[in-house]
Each structure stands twice: as C-alpha cells, then as structure tokens.
Amino acid sequence: MKKKLSPLSLIYSLLIFVFLYAPIAVLIIYSFNASKSRGTWGGFSLKWYAELFSNKDIMQALITTLSIAVISAVVSVVIGTAAAVGIYYSRRRTKALLTGISNIPMINADIVTGISLLLLFIFLKLDLGYVTLLLSHITFNIPYVILSVMPKLRQLDKNAFEAAIDLGATPLRAFFSVIIPEISPGIVTGAILAFTMSIDDFVISFFTTGGGVSTLSIEIYTMAKRGIKPEINALSAIMFLVVMTLLLIVNIRSSKVEKKKER
Amino acid sequence: MKDNLIRLENISMSYGEKQVLKSINLDVRDKEFITFLGPSGCGKTTTLRIIGGFEHQTSGNVYFDGQLINDVPPHKRQLNTVFQKYALFTHLNVYDNIAFGLRISKTPEHEIKERVQKMLSMVNLSGYEKRAVVSLSGGEQQRIAIARALVNHPRVLLLDEPLGALDLKLRKEMQTELKAIQQALGITFIFVTHDQEEALTMSDTVVVMKGGKIQQIGTPIGIYNEPVNAFVADFIGESNIIDGIMNEDYVCTFGGKTFDCTDCGFAKNEPVDVVIRPEDFRMVMPREEIICGIVENIVFKGVHYEMHVKSGDITYLVHSTIPEVVGTFVGLEVEPFDIHIMKKSKPEEN
C-alpha cells in the first residue's frame, strides 16, 4: 500500500517538518558557532562544548539530573510495575477506578502538580532539596510506568500465573519467573520513558527543589535569565539529542512488539 | 472404595449472592476419562478449578487418594492442567516451556532432556525444541500445553475446554489423539466441554451438569439411551420432548394417541415428558393408531435427512435416510422401548 506523495502533500509535509525542527536545527548549528554573537556565523568550533564541560555548575547539575533520572526511574519502575499488576488483577470496577486515578497526574498541568507537591512538602515540613526533587520525579514517573506495563499484562494469557503454579511453582516464584519475564518489554519501555521524562522535566523540578540543588533544565533557565550564552545552545543541543534518542528507542521497541504480535 | 482417586463431597460454591455450585457429589475413578458436560454457566469449569485448587469451595470436601486436600495449595497437588487458551509462557521456547515443571522439582538436566524429548515425540512435535511458542499454530500450541502438563507424570490431568479454539477437523484429530494418550499413559483425565459429541466420543464417564447441579452421571451409551430427564435428553443429541400423560404402568398418551411403553412407577394419569429421538421414528403409511402429520420441510444433513412433521399442534423432528416430499401426509411409527418417559422437571429447576 505504498503510495507516492503528490507534490502538494510533499510540500505540505516538508513545511510541517520545517516548522517543527527549524528552531532546534538553528540551536544545534549555533552551538558550533565560533562567534559569540547570535546573528553572525564565525566559523565552526567546539569551544562552547569545551566551556560547557569545564563549567562546574553545569557539571554539578548534570550529575544531579542523571542521578535523579536513574534513581527515580528504578524506584518508579518497581512501584509502577507492582501497581500495574495490582490494578490488573483487581475487580473490574476497582480496575477502572484505579486506572483513571493513575492517569490523572499525566494529564494534570505540570505547574499544578509542581505547586501541589511544593505545598505538600511544606506541609510535611520537608526541607526542599535533593530528596524532595527525587520524590516528585518518582511521583510523576509512576503513571508512565503503569501505562507501559499495562498493555503487556493485557496480552498475558489470563491463566499464565495459574499455569506456573499448576506446574509446581510457589506464587512468589510464579510471579518472578513467569509474570515478570512475560511483561519485561513493558517494564523496560517504562524505565526508559521514566528516565526521559525525568531529564525532560523543568516545571515540577523548579517548584520542588531548593537549597542550591538544580537540574540541567533549571540551570539553563538560570543562565538564560542572565542573558543567553552560546554554552546554553550546546547544552540544549545535547539534551535534545539524549531525549530524542531515548524516545526513538521506546518507539522502535514498541513497533517491534507490534510486529511480533502480528506474526 | 479402593479405586476412587478423587471424591467431591457436598461441594457448594458461591460468588457473593450467586450460587454457582449446589452440593456436588462425585467420585472419580483412577485411570478413567471423565467429562463434565453442560451449557456455559453450568458450573463445570468451576468444579474443575476447585479440583485443581485454583478456587476454594464455599463448603464441602475434596479428597484425593483418600486424603482431604481442601487446604492443599494448587502447586502441591498431584495434578496438572491444560488451560483453555493453553497459557504457554511466551518468553520461553518450546523446550523450556515443557521443562518448566521439571526444573521446579529440581530434576537433573539430563533426565529433563530425555523426558522432554519423549513428550515431544508423543505429541508428534519432535524437533520443535528451539521454536518460539508464538510461532506455532493453535493445534501445535495445544500439543505443547499437553506435553508441558504430562511431562510431570501427574496422577490426574485436568483439561478445561482445551479443543474449543481449534477448527472442526483438527478438533476431531485431537479427540482421538487425546484418548490414545490417556490410554497409553493410564492417567485419569478430567475433561470439561460443552460439546456433547466430544463428550460421547472420548469419555468413559460423562457428568451432565446444569445450573450448578449434576443432572446425570453415566457412560456415554447409558446417558444417550437412558437420559434421566428432558434436559439431558435434549442436551445429549437432538430429541423430541412432548407433553404426555402416563395412563398406567406401561401405557402412555401423547399427541392424541395411546402407546405401549416400557416405563412404570408413575402415578395414575401423571403428566410426564415423553422423549423420542428423531432417528427412532420410522416413516410409514398413515394409519389410525399412530401419529400422522404433514412433512413441513426437509434438509439434507449428509448421512440422513432432517424433516419436520407437523401433526396437530406438535411438530416432530424426524431423521431418516429416505427423503419424503414436502407436503406428504405420513405416519410416524415408534417402538415401545424408544419411548422414554421422564418425570416433569420441577419449574424451579428450569
């Protein structure tokens, strides 16, 4: 069913891509600009990248971002998988209710989530900083894990767990040697998605951090307030590439799963 | 009783308000092929799941080999199950699926290999060891599921409508094959189906169920020839069920005519259900003492023709190898021993 695009629709598609990606392309090109001025091209150079990696604040923010992303991904995968299994095996009404509730944080505006978490932390008298930042990332990551694991659970034969028990496995063993491996593609997708979301987040982090702990996106924001330096271009370019690569992996994985099902 | 392997004693089961099993009593003999047969919602699968330990009865006892096993969890029961949709583990290949149970029981690898090979050759799938289960056809997956269960040498194999998803031809093949496997291994098979033909073909004993109750237990021949009530008669093969009256012992009236029959023990003039198999009618020249009617339609069914004969308010289903022209006025003859008299079932049971 491959149809050749008519010239008109080809132009239309190209225009959409230009609109979508031109700003990012400009950003990436200028991150290699030797001149400090934003309007003129002073030749190709990697000096902004070099400066970026020698900037202590940025390096500190990078470490924070990566560690928060990794830890929150791991924790939310554990909680989210357990939650998905619990929701899947509950009664129909409870299932619908819990699925709805777990989806709300995803459609909720980030700023609302951010402010509510901030209020909660103040109410609990928690000092804003690394811990509160981590807690909020875990919170907003869990729904994404549930969302990725759920379809794999639905594909699972409804008797798979019983089959394992029937063959002599204890319930615990059946869970770890059958259920977890069967849904593992969903778990991995959920982990990558959670990691990406964590790196990507600005609004919620902005409200829930404190004490000088900042992520890359907060660092970029702070730097930008003092005037946009070419280093920011370099940093944003790197972040864009990381996030895009991860999302590509997620998409390729899920389309592979689709193909497997069709066979 | 020595050769009783499983005994169900007053098993009842309720989900909240809804009672799905009403005091089931059943003995399963060692090495027999027993089938639970009934329409959907009759409680046959629930009974199977209680024996397997996947559901816990509300009241009553389950005995296995003389031991009370009410509180034995499913992974410690000496039986294995073939599930409706096979429930194969898609993350494992064929070999590892079959070896799953043996690995849990810590069987040495060389013995596992031997037993898996033996099972694969028994289900005619030798050489499939490395295949992914998702790449197999429905019939092949079914065989793997059977091999995965039988490799553990269970005393009893539970099968929950295992042939339901297969097409007709494959299903017939699997019926023969399953029966052969059961006889070769000498294992008790408890089979659940809603397909009466399947039940009659394969079983030593058929348990007909309806509305959470056992209607009749018997051999396929016994159940077909001597159904205890109109429901069983209708469910096992096609039947004419006609309102009648038992005038006295060995004499009954239906369709306005009086017949000799072979049943007795009813009250005088008690209303009864008269059950006659469509193949037990003979089409003859019309005469006074027998039922006469007009052939309403005729359908060719392969071995026989299926005809509806209307006589007064009653339409009789007749199977005959000789076709009759629609509109012909015919007589229907039936032998006394082919007239089955059933007590009217109580309204609450319907």
Side-chain angles (χ1 to χ4, degrees):
Chain A
M1 274 267 297
K2 267 186 190 156
K3 254 202 304 190
K4 246 186 132 182
L5 285 175
S6 73
L8 200 67
S9 50
L10 190 72
I11 292 168
Y12 184 71
S13 317
L14 278 177
L15 269 178
I16 289 181
F17 279 107
V18 168
F19 268 114
L20 281 177
Y21 289 101
I24 297 164
V26 170
L27 175 95
I28 293 175
I29 292 167
Y30 271 88
S31 70
F32 296 108
N33 190 357
S35 152
K36 200 171 177 175
S37 143
R38 251 169 291 153
T40 49
W41 180 253
F44 180 84
S45 150
L46 286 173
K47 76 172 175 187
W48 303 119
Y49 285 89
E51 242 171 67
L52 183 69
F53 286 106
S54 56
N55 184 327
K56 265 198 194 130
D57 287 347
I58 290 177
M59 282 305 107
Q60 185 55 47
L62 176 71
I63 291 166
T64 309
T65 303
L66 287 179
S67 68
I68 293 269
V70 169
I71 300 172
S72 74
V74 170
V75 176
S76 57
V77 156
V78 173
I79 299 176
T81 305
V85 171
I87 293 172
Y88 180 72
Y89 284 103
S90 54
R91 281 165 200 276
R92 192 182 301 169
R93 255 218 205 131
T94 329
K95 194 193 252 177
L97 185 72
L98 289 176
T99 313
I101 291 176
S102 71
N103 281 339
I104 290 174
M106 271 187 296
I107 46 174
N108 204 2
D110 276 358
I111 193 149
V112 178
T113 310
I115 290 177
S116 1
L117 282 167
L118 173 66
L119 289 176
L120 179 72
F121 293 140
I122 292 171
F123 177 74
L124 293 173
K125 297 199 165 54
L126 283 175
D127 286 334
L128 293 183
Y130 191 86
V131 175
T132 51
L133 187 63
L134 180 61
L135 285 176
S136 22
H137 278 236
I138 293 170
T139 309
F140 73 70
N141 273 338
I142 289 172
Y144 291 100
V145 176
I146 296 178
L147 196 73
S148 328
V149 172
M150 232 20 178
K152 295 307 295 177
L153 279 168
R154 273 191 224 109
Q155 282 171 27
L156 197 65
D157 188 298
K158 69 178 168 49
N159 296 121
F161 182 70
E162 287 177 349
I165 287 185
D166 183 73
L167 294 165
T170 58
L172 201 67
R173 178 153 185 188
F175 182 74
F176 283 109
S177 65
V178 172
I179 303 297
I180 293 293
E182 291 274 323
I183 61 173
S184 63
I187 296 178
V188 174
T189 305
I192 300 174
L193 207 55
F195 184 81
T196 315
M197 289 299 159
S198 175
I199 290 183
D200 190 47
D201 177 70
F202 166 72
V203 179
I204 298 174
S205 306
F206 184 75
F207 281 102
T208 54
T209 189
V213 178
S214 58
T215 62
L216 279 179
S217 51
I218 293 174
E219 194 60 34
I220 292 174
Y221 177 74
T222 328
M223 284 162 68
K225 275 204 291 194
R226 283 179 256 134
I228 303 209
K229 279 203 225 145
E231 283 156 279
I232 297 178
N233 293 347
L235 184 54
S236 309
I238 292 175
M239 277 186 75
F240 168 75
L241 284 178
V242 169
V243 169
M244 199 178 74
T245 314
L246 289 172
L247 284 178
L248 267 179
I249 294 173
V250 169
N251 283 332
I252 291 168
R253 282 177 56 86
S254 49
S255 69
K256 257 190 196 160
V257 171
E258 289 294 313
K259 268 187 201 146
K260 222 178 178 181
K261 255 197 311 186
E262 277 166 25
R263 257 198 301 166
Chain B
M1 289 259 268
K2 195 165 107 265
D3 61 348
N4 270 346
L5 189 58
I6 295 175
R7 156 166 282 186
L8 301 183
E9 211 176 65
N10 287 319
I11 297 289
S12 292
M13 180 78 183
S14 304
Y15 296 115
E17 297 278 285
K18 199 165 173 272
Q19 197 175 12
V20 289
L21 290 180
K22 297 165 187 163
S23 195
I24 297 283
N25 285 291
L26 181 69
D27 285 320
V28 178
R29 281 178 287 118
D30 199 7
K31 299 186 180 26
E32 82 172 324
F33 195 123
I34 187 168
T35 301
F36 298 166
L37 173 68
S40 52
C42 72
K44 54 191 192 300
T45 296
T46 309
T47 312
L48 191 82
R49 289 173 60 81
I50 287 173
I51 297 173
F54 303 117
E55 310 254 355
H56 203 273
Q57 67 273 23
T58 318
S59 65
N61 293 322
V62 183
Y63 295 92
F64 188 92
D65 214 6
Q67 303 276 317
L68 186 67
I69 57 162
N70 285 359
D71 298 320
V72 178
H75 61 274
K76 290 189 181 143
R77 295 192 183 190
Q78 283 173 297
L79 27 82
N80 286 117
T81 310
V82 176
F83 292 93
Q84 207 165 4
K85 301 245 171 65
Y86 326 133
L88 295 176
F89 307 136
T90 53
H91 67 288
L92 300 175
N93 64 19
V94 167
Y95 182 95
D96 291 331
N97 259 282
I98 301 177
F100 190 88
L102 296 175
R103 293 212 167 113
I104 284 172
S105 61
K106 300 208 165 58
T107 313
E109 277 301 318
H110 64 270
E111 194 191 328
I112 293 182
K113 195 170 176 194
E114 200 177 297
R115 278 163 76 173
V116 171
Q117 306 282 3
K118 212 175 121 199
M119 275 301 139
L120 277 174
S121 80
M122 189 186 76
V123 296
N124 295 322
L125 289 179
S126 295
Y128 274 57
E129 289 85 345
K130 294 273 173 285
R131 297 266 203 114
V133 290
V134 285
S135 69
L136 305 180
S137 72
E140 288 165 345
Q141 292 195 18
Q142 174 69 87
R143 287 155 198 260
I144 299 302
I146 292 166
R148 184 180 67 174
L150 287 176
V151 77
N152 305 294
H153 299 324
R155 304 265 317 262
V156 178
L157 187 69
L158 307 178
L159 302 107
D160 183 10
E161 305 216 23
L163 309 182
L166 305 180
D167 63 54
L168 187 66
K169 195 164 172 295
L170 198 55
R171 205 150 118 187
K172 300 259 181 202
E173 275 173 37
M174 285 303 291
Q175 286 174 10
T176 326
E177 222 168 290
L178 269 178
K179 183 73 187 169
I181 289 173
Q182 189 256 340
Q183 279 166 342
L185 297 180
I187 292 177
T188 308
F189 273 35
I190 304 182
F191 191 93
V192 162
T193 183
H194 60 264
D195 181 339
Q196 50 98 7
E197 196 201 322
E198 198 163 281
L200 297 180
T201 317
M202 304 170 77
S203 324
D204 299 315
T205 306
V206 179
V207 179
V208 185
M209 296 181 71
K210 181 200 167 199
K213 276 185 177 169
I214 292 179
Q215 304 288 317
Q216 188 171 5
I217 303 175
T219 62
I221 294 173
I223 286 196
Y224 189 87
N225 287 343
E226 292 300 327
V228 294
N229 58 31
F231 169 76
V232 176
D234 196 39
F235 199 75
I236 310 287
E238 288 173 296
S239 276
N240 292 289
I241 300 168
I242 313 141
D243 286 328
I245 286 171
M246 200 67 187
N247 308 45
E248 55 188 89
D249 282 356
Y250 310 116
V251 180
C252 64
T253 300
F254 63 89
K257 304 284 162 75
T258 303
F259 298 86
D260 288 340
C261 62
T262 56
D263 293 87
C264 61
F266 293 87
K268 211 167 163 56
N269 293 325
E270 181 178 334
V272 290
D273 283 329
V274 178
V275 175
I276 300 172
R277 297 276 178 204
E279 68 270 23
D280 289 337
F281 280 121
R282 253 190 338 273
M283 287 188 152
V284 293
M285 292 299 287
R287 60 176 197 268
E288 184 52 34
E289 324 83 76
I290 58 171
I291 289 163
C292 301
I294 290 165
V295 178
E296 281 205 310
N297 60 37
I298 177 162
V299 179
F300 179 57
K301 287 283 187 182
V303 181
H304 62 265
Y305 293 88
E306 183 182 277
M307 284 165 275
H308 285 94
V309 176
K310 192 170 166 67
S311 165
D313 300 339
I314 308 167
T315 303
Y316 297 90
L317 181 67
V318 180
H319 289 173
S320 167
T321 48
I322 303 154
E324 202 56 77
V325 179
V326 173
T328 317
F329 189 62
V330 295
L332 296 176
E333 214 173 49
V334 59
E335 296 294 337
F337 53 78
D338 285 331
I339 299 174
H340 306 285
I341 308 293
M342 319 264 153
K343 273 204 183 296
K344 281 266 179 208
S345 35
K346 289 173 213 128
E348 54 115 4
E349 283 177 355
N350 284 327

